[in-house]
Amino acid sequence: MAFAPMGPEPSFFEALDQHRASLLAALKRDSGDRAGGGTRLASSSEVLASIENIIQDIITSLARNEAPALTIDNRSTWENIKFEDSVGLQMVSHCTTRKIRSDSPKSVKNFALILKILSMIYKLVQSDTYATKRDIYYTDSQLFGSQAAVDSIIADVSCMLKVPRRGLHVLSTSKGLIAGNLRYIEEEGTKVNCSCTTAVAVSSNIQGIWNLITDAKFLLIVEKDATFQRLLDDNFCNKMSPCIMVTGKGVPDLNTRLLVRKLWDAFHIPIFALVDADPHGIEIMCIYKYGSMSMSFEAHNLTVPAIRWLGLLPSDIKRLNIPKDNLIPLTKRDQMKLDSILKRPYVTCQPFWRKEMEIMAGSKMKAEIQALTFLSSDYLSRVYLPNKLKFGGWI
């Protein structure tokens, strides 16, 4: 046994064990569905050759007295996205593209910045060194203008080369946290022992962590840091041990998504999402489960379609008699987001999710997880989550 048992009686986990058995059976049936797709971690020589080919094309264009242009897959339209319930959102094989031209006033700066970052990536890969996106921005912050510009270009380069960001030797600074029954070793040999009472920062090099050990019965994704910290303060991890909790502190960064996927691949334990009963919370849960348009070219490495919605469900608001004073009216922006989600392809295979969103749309109200404190300050950790986990209250 990897960890000392401190949680409930084994019978408490009966519904979870049954759920895990059904997940494993589904995996066995669909074992080939996710194989061979998506981006892979290319070798250094392949990355260097891909960059050299781009530069060679530019030189060839100049030799012909033509204005060079870079071609990038268009990741901002649903026309280029297909949905598979075993993978999530991914790019179609023959998608529309956009040109970044060197002779257009609108795109010439972006063209130059892409070449600048390509040269930096080339040096990083060639020397087998790594840099964060922040490091790249600060090499010439005046030239790049903003961190967002660097982030966007790196995503474009990753898509253009069909190489995951870590294959470009560019790391993201993690904002996520993890706690619970988990041990692993960082690439450089540092041993990490996650605790049930204090959180550990998600690694900036998920690809490099190894020797993961856990006996967790489930993994709980928590939308917000405040809720995550409250659960730690309430000793939730110990009370529900063995388990793991993760938060991306809102919209998850790449490393947090990679970690959730890595834990799924390693252990195939049930994964649940705890988000606000609002369109923003549902959107965040969908990113973990099915991915996003912007990273659809790397869906096979990031998504976990097995994730289930544990709470807060819109139907829970009425079931628990949460007063209207504790609810928040949907804004026009909320309603637009909700309408957008309801039209997405993955909602067709989630009828229970659709029903919950229709309840929200009908009531025109949303609720934060903190609304449960109306019942008692520790209702979330003492009653709500244990009951959901024991009796299978997920969809």
Side-chain angles (χ1 to χ4, degrees):
M1 177 80 63
F3 301 91
M6 294 178 287
E9 293 294 318
S11 60
F12 175 91
F13 295 112
E14 188 175 341
L16 282 169
D17 290 340
Q18 289 175 359
H19 178 47
R20 182 167 189 249
S22 69
L23 290 174
L24 291 172
L27 269 176
K28 196 172 182 179
R29 286 195 308 270
D30 306 330
S31 57
D33 282 5
R34 293 178 71 130
T39 51
R40 64 185 181 84
L41 195 57
S43 68
S44 294
S45 59
E46 288 174 318
V47 176
L48 294 174
S50 295
I51 296 173
E52 288 165 1
N53 288 338
I54 289 170
I55 302 305
Q56 185 61 56
D57 287 344
I58 290 172
I59 292 170
T60 301
S61 294
L62 291 170
R64 292 173 179 165
N65 207 25
E66 298 170 353
L70 299 168
T71 304
I72 298 175
D73 292 341
N74 189 347
R75 306 190 313 282
S76 61
T77 173
W78 284 102
E79 293 174 6
N80 285 339
I81 307 296
K82 66 177 179 177
F83 169 72
E84 289 181 23
D85 56 7
S86 64
V87 180
L89 302 176
Q90 53 186 327
M91 297 199 78
V92 297
S93 53
H94 301 291
C95 61
T96 60
T97 58
R98 57 192 176 92
K99 294 274 188 185
I100 299 176
R101 304 188 61 84
S102 61
D103 61 347
S104 166
K106 288 182 179 180
S107 62
V108 63
K109 182 181 179 182
N110 207 28
F111 181 91
L113 292 180
I114 290 174
L115 291 187
K116 169 76 172 174
I117 287 178
L118 276 172
S119 71
M120 297 174 78
I121 289 170
Y122 192 91
K123 289 173 185 174
L124 288 170
V125 175
Q126 197 174 43
S127 61
D128 195 24
T129 54
Y130 289 81
T132 66
K133 293 189 296 181
R134 201 78 177 143
D135 293 334
I136 290 174
Y137 169 66
Y138 278 116
T139 59
D140 199 332
S141 58
Q142 196 168 357
L143 174 68
F144 291 120
S146 70
Q147 181 68 57
V150 172
D151 296 351
S152 176
I153 289 170
I154 289 170
D156 281 343
V157 168
S158 181
C159 182
M160 182 167 59
L161 298 178
K162 299 293 184 285
V163 175
R165 194 180 300 167
R166 55 201 175 280
L168 304 178
H169 286 228
V170 177
L171 303 175
S172 302
T173 303
S174 297
K175 63 171 182 168
L177 298 171
I178 185 166
N181 300 63
L182 177 68
R183 297 199 299 260
Y184 57 86
I185 300 175
E186 299 269 11
E187 187 173 37
E188 74 281 2
T190 303
K191 293 181 179 179
V192 178
N193 191 350
C194 299
S195 161
C196 286
T197 52
T198 56
V200 172
V202 169
S203 171
S204 60
N205 185 8
I206 299 301
Q207 183 70 20
I209 66 175
W210 57 286
N211 197 33
L212 289 89
I213 300 171
T214 188
D215 58 359
K217 290 285 188 177
F218 67 94
L219 187 157
L220 181 66
I221 297 169
V222 183
E223 175 191 348
K224 294 189 296 192
D225 185 39
T227 306
F228 182 88
Q229 298 297 338
R230 181 58 198 259
L231 289 172
L232 286 180
D233 292 344
D234 286 351
N235 207 21
F236 175 79
C237 264
N238 273 328
K239 291 173 182 174
M240 292 292 103
S241 181
C243 68
I244 300 169
M245 287 200 315
V246 172
T247 181
K249 298 184 179 180
V251 178
D253 59 287
L254 185 69
N255 291 321
T256 303
R257 292 175 63 190
L258 284 168
L259 176 63
V260 170
R261 175 59 198 264
K262 193 176 187 89
L263 291 171
W264 167 250
D265 285 340
F267 305 113
H268 295 123
I269 56 174
I271 303 178
F272 303 109
L274 176 65
V275 298
D276 287 337
D278 68 12
H280 187 67
I282 295 169
E283 173 91 283
I284 287 170
M285 176 173 57
C286 290
I287 290 172
Y288 282 107
K289 184 176 175 76
Y290 292 130
S292 61
M293 278 205 302
S294 62
M295 294 300 292
S296 54
F297 65 93
E298 205 180 336
H300 285 77
N301 303 316
L302 292 172
T303 61
V304 185
I307 290 170
R308 298 293 182 265
W309 187 1
L310 189 66
L312 181 64
L313 302 180
S315 59
D316 291 335
I317 296 169
K318 184 176 181 180
R319 181 176 62 85
L320 298 171
N321 293 316
I322 297 173
K324 200 167 183 179
D325 291 349
N326 292 63
L327 307 180
I328 306 165
L330 290 178
T331 64
K332 190 174 181 180
R333 189 173 179 181
D334 288 332
Q335 290 171 338
M336 289 172 63
K337 172 68 73 178
L338 189 57
D339 290 342
S340 167
I341 296 172
L342 281 165
K343 291 174 185 173
R344 292 182 191 173
Y346 45 69
V347 175
T348 57
C349 69
Q350 292 291 344
F352 294 111
W353 284 30
R354 174 179 285 280
K355 186 177 178 181
E356 292 293 333
M357 286 186 270
E358 286 172 350
I359 290 171
M360 187 190 300
S363 70
K364 298 192 184 316
M365 302 296 282
K366 60 183 179 179
E368 296 183 330
I369 296 164
Q370 287 86 339
L372 295 175
T373 57
F374 157 77
L375 297 156
S376 73
S377 61
D378 62 348
Y379 187 84
L380 175 67
S381 60
R382 181 176 56 85
V383 180
Y384 182 82
L385 290 175
N387 281 344
K388 286 263 183 173
L389 293 164
K390 183 174 183 178
F391 300 110
W394 53 78
I395 57 174

